[in-house]
Amino acid sequence: MKQDIKKIISKFNSQLNTTCAEISVSDLSVFFSVLISSFILKNRKTNIQLNQIHSDNILLTFKDELLIIEDRFPELIESFKETKKSINSKLLTPTISDLQLSFENVNEDIIDIISWSFQYLKKELTNKAFKKTGQNNNKIEDADLLLTTQFFTDSYMVKYLVDETVLSIKPQELEDIVIIDPASGGGNFLNYSFERLFYLFKSHKKDWTDNEIVDWLLNNAIVGYDLDSNLSKIASLSLFINACQYSIPDKSVSINIFGGKENDNLGFLNTKITSNSINRATINSKLKRINQDNLKKIFLTNPPFMGKRDMDVTLKNYLLNKYPESKGDLCVSFIQRIMQIMNHNDILSIVTQNNWMYLSSLKGFRELFLKENSLRVCVDLGTNAFEDINGEKTNIALCVIEKSNSSPTLFINLKHKKGNEKKLLVSSNNMPVEVVYTVNQNAFLDNQNFEFNYQLTDRFETIKKFNLYSDYGNPMQGTSTGNNKEFVKYAWEVNGNSDWKLVSKGGGFSKWVGLNYYKVLWGENAEFIKANKGSALRNINKIPSTELVYSDTGTLGLNVRILKNNQVFIASGPGIQVIKGDKFAHLAFLNSRVATFLLKLINPKFTISAGYISNIPVAKNILDSKYISNKSELCLNLKDDYLKNKLPNFEFNHIDYFTIKKLDNFINECILKDLENDFQRLLLEFKIEDRIRGEYKFGKEELAEMKRMVGESPFYNKKTKKELSIIELDSFLSNCIDINCLSRSKTINGFSIGSESILEELSYIYDLSPKVIYTHLVNNIKLLKSTQDKYYKDLLHKLVLFELGINHISDYSKKIINLNVLVQTLKHKYFFLKNLKDLNKTIALIVIKHHKTSFLNKPLVSIYNESVIVGQE
């Protein structure tokens, strides 16, 4: 039903501006709320057969339903009728028909449909508000604050938290409970809480009528507040409609969902909340009365998410002043505010970003939390848990918090499950034993930053005795240029200018060596950056003694590389100094699955900071191991050899193309060479990994835990028998490489770690040992037609660059040459091209399309009026 509403409103929105005068989202939200409410009320009547509803007969069709709503919300009905006049009947009639069809085929709970209609109506405005923040350092303020922080809660999250909390209420407590949502949005939590409470009263208050239960709950047990006064009205309507399924509430009964005042950006975070009045009560007076009556408060909420970076200065300064431990984080400030007004045995069930459990900046908040509160349950959902929102912003957890003495906490780790799996597991509340951890939260007081490292605490006690990586290496922050657009360019954009230095910028996933596309305007000692306002020079003096660099974006795990000679590092590709041990052994350890696994236990965050690498526990006999060092150096050399033939890497060098005798043979040799390189690297990484795992002495349960999160080397897979289609295998192989025939880095098999190995990916796809895959490809090399085509085009691209005098990506002279002349030169010099048809057309496409993609949409070569031009304007 929810998805039906989404499609109907999306279709309506797409046609609205072309058929009607401009109508505000506020008016439209009221219109759709009343319209959907009318359908719900009508739908609850049995044996009602509706004729086709259209724009002209809608008021008559829903006469009774509109009267019920009008008796309670006259202003909403007035707005509904006025907005209806403004909507073109040619748009409104098909929209009503779509809604009618959807309600005739209801196959799920419709309790939250009213609120979701608002969410979908404002989607375009929300997108516009987010776009503003990316322009000229704009901050989110005024109306945009509401648009960008209102994300409604999926039904499965609401039901889990309500059931986990409300269903534990004892019969004798029923009349002493108040459900409060201080960021009530469209009322999703309040609606489901009302439903659950109604059935509890029905079970335990046998002498109460339905009407008495409904009136009691609305008057005494359900309280909401939202900063958006318009949304609070929609939530009130939604709760009213939900109550009507049991009994139409008496008009004297209050619906206690309060709305904020205009120009108020603080809302519930204000210690003196301003709100409208409902039967002479405000949210402040209501909370005061609840405390005076010694009622048990159960907070159920999904507060707004926003970091201080995007806030206007007024809101930021207020939060930093009133809730200093929360460091300006809006969601964490909400938690802190609610904890301040909780009494003993009060409960907070909340959808929250999970960053408060581990971010170093929130150490003070965690210490405060651990001293005064008990985390009873935490379902750690991670990313992609919301149906309509994706990305790291939604790295979330469902938490039940009590104002009581510490008791064992039940942690449920679903971070590495797929979106549908998360929903199914939470909905069924039937969790596999391997994702469940029971930890006494007092254990978190023992670590330096009070981080909630529940996996480490519950199952990895043995590694506590190990030294931390900071005893062996010094991960550092890099310099912030203050303006990467001006100070960081691709190497070919600056063509040998000595003021620009090769730089480790990160920008992807690459182990051992790689991602060397960039140069930074550095001068002798970063003087250009130093002169730029907004820059921050960090660890400049340590660059000469730095040996390793890494990418600070951690979606695919830790990936570390050698810092090349005369290369510097900046913020997103920071450096590591080796203090003790062998640099190659350090490189191997940090690139291992074990290191990424331990890092993710410590820090589930998107960005990898130097401090988190420093806190990785390191077993003995790893960082000074000659065995590991030798294997690591071999890996590095293999990767370096691989990149020497891959554009547009700084390592790239042309080969002697005149030695090519037969085109097909040469292309097959290139494919074989890359596969051999891939196989040998993957095998070496397995041997390194096996040695490192052995040094940690992980048991079966610990190895299983690591496998669930980061997988394991495909060489542990001993399966050798399976029918393999070479055509299918060729297709997969071709898709595993980019336009430069470079293996794409990606997550493997859904695990929380990346890979650059084609054979590793194919091994997971076919569930076979990589040796079997490799052997099959080698034996059928002549049949890899799709892959051969990619290598053929890559060769032509390299030949074009070579003939244009581009010997290196950052060393060339500007020139102009006629396309026909270039093609004839290629045919004359390379006899294997002489008999190829349509070479002019092929070379033109190579320059126009292939080259642009290859050079990351910053082409070095272009065509204009049949002339090939080398150099950028």
Side-chain angles (χ1 to χ4, degrees), residues 45-61:
K45 295 180 181 178
T46 57
N47 301 319
I48 293 292
Q49 292 293 323
L50 292 179
N51 295 323
Q52 183 66 38
I53 310 173
H54 51 78
S55 177
D56 295 335
N57 70 2
I58 186 173
L59 298 180
L60 182 60
T61 302

Side-chain angles (χ1 to χ4, degrees), residues 352-368:
T352 171
Q353 288 180 298
N354 63 12
N355 59 3
W356 68 270
M357 295 193 289
Y358 56 83
L359 276 188
S360 56
S361 59
L362 293 170
K363 171 185 175 181
F365 173 80
R366 284 190 294 276
E367 184 176 16
L368 182 71

Side-chain angles (χ1 to χ4, degrees), residues 145-157:
L145 180 66
L146 298 176
L147 289 169
T148 54
T149 57
Q150 289 171 336
F151 297 113
F152 295 172
T153 318
D154 284 7
S155 176
Y156 80 95
M157 300 179 191

Side-chain angles (χ1 to χ4, degrees), residues 192 238 315 398 445 471 506 530 556 621 719 753 784:
Y192 190 64
S238 181
L315 177 59
L398 309 180
L445 291 167
D471 293 330
K530 188 176 183 179
L556 301 183
N621 307 318
K719 295 178 184 177
I753 192 169
L784 303 177

Side-chain angles (χ1 to χ4, degrees), residues 701-725:
E701 190 173 301
E702 293 165 323
L703 288 173
E705 185 82 0
M706 188 166 73
K707 184 178 178 179
R708 280 190 291 271
M709 187 184 294
V710 295
E712 63 181 5
S713 170
F715 278 98
Y716 285 110
N717 187 340
K718 303 301 182 184
K719 295 178 184 177
T720 59
K721 293 182 179 180
K722 194 169 191 175
E723 287 294 324
L724 293 174
S725 162

Side-chain angles (χ1 to χ4, degrees), residues 366-417:
R366 284 190 294 276
E367 184 176 16
L368 182 71
F369 180 98
L370 289 166
K371 288 178 179 177
E372 299 179 0
N373 304 276
S374 175
L375 181 59
R376 192 173 85 196
V377 179
C378 173
V379 183
D380 204 351
L381 290 171
T383 59
N384 300 320
F386 287 112
E387 189 173 339
D388 293 296
I389 319 166
N390 294 318
E392 287 292 326
K393 181 174 182 177
T394 60
N395 206 323
I396 65 167
L398 309 180
C399 298
V400 179
I401 300 162
E402 289 183 294
K403 198 83 167 183
S404 62
N405 296 329
S406 176
S407 58
T409 304
L410 191 69
F411 287 96
I412 299 166
N413 180 17
L414 302 181
K415 288 182 292 187
H416 310 296
K417 301 290 184 181

Side-chain angles (χ1 to χ4, degrees), residues 420 457 589 634 864:
N420 286 337
T457 305
F589 170 70
L634 289 172
Y864 181 74

Side-chain angles (χ1 to χ4, degrees), residues 60 77 137 182 184 213 223 353 375 377 417 423 438 495 599 629 737 814 833 869:
L60 182 60
I77 295 300
N137 286 323
S184 55
I213 295 173
V223 177
Q353 288 180 298
L375 181 59
V377 179
K417 301 290 184 181
K423 182 176 179 179
T438 302
N495 193 20
L599 180 73
S629 174
I737 57 178
K814 292 188 176 183
L833 298 178
I869 303 165

